[in-house]
Each structure stands twice: as C-alpha cells, then as structure tokens.
Amino acid sequence: MSGRLPNTREMPRLVSQFVLLGSVGSALRAQYDELRSEPVPEHLLALIQKLSEQEQISGLTRGR
C-alpha cells in the first residue's frame, strides 16, 4: 500500500496479516516474559562481572 486506501479485495488479506502479526507478537511476548522470570545462571553473572571490570579498567587507561 502506497498512501492509498486498500480496495475491498485487499481487505481480507490485510486483516489476516494483521491477525497473524498480532499472534506472533503475543507469542514472542510470552516467551520474553518467561525468560525474564528465570534467574541468570551463576557462570553468566561471573562473566558479566569480569567484562564489566575489564571495561572499567580499559576506560581508566584510555583517560590518561
């Protein structure tokens, strides 16, 4: 669609695409919520901490 109103033959296709996108969006949101509710594994927390410390050290040396 390029700035025009869809004709009546396009409407069922557009509606079905909208419904499909809504369903996919709902499924993705449910998976995202499920992932957020799970705790972060300890080894990943340790890795994040190590990377954070390295970034702080490299930021200090860049500032010289």
Side-chain angles (χ1 to χ4, degrees):
M1 289 184 352
S2 58
R4 63 175 177 75
L5 293 175
N7 66 39
T8 55
R9 289 184 302 233
E10 291 175 314
M11 288 306 290
R13 180 178 57 87
L14 294 174
V15 170
S16 66
Q17 287 175 348
F18 180 76
V19 170
L20 178 64
L21 287 175
S23 298
V24 169
S26 295
L28 288 174
R29 180 63 189 199
Q31 283 189 333
Y32 174 76
D33 289 341
E34 184 179 325
L35 284 174
R36 288 202 43 167
S37 68
E38 295 178 7
V40 177
E42 290 295 322
H43 70 281
L44 290 180
L45 289 173
L47 178 62
I48 291 168
Q49 180 65 32
K50 184 176 180 180
L51 292 174
S52 177
E53 290 170 0
Q54 288 177 352
E55 180 61 28
Q56 289 174 357
I57 291 170
S58 66
L60 291 174
T61 57
R62 275 188 248 137
R64 290 184 181 174

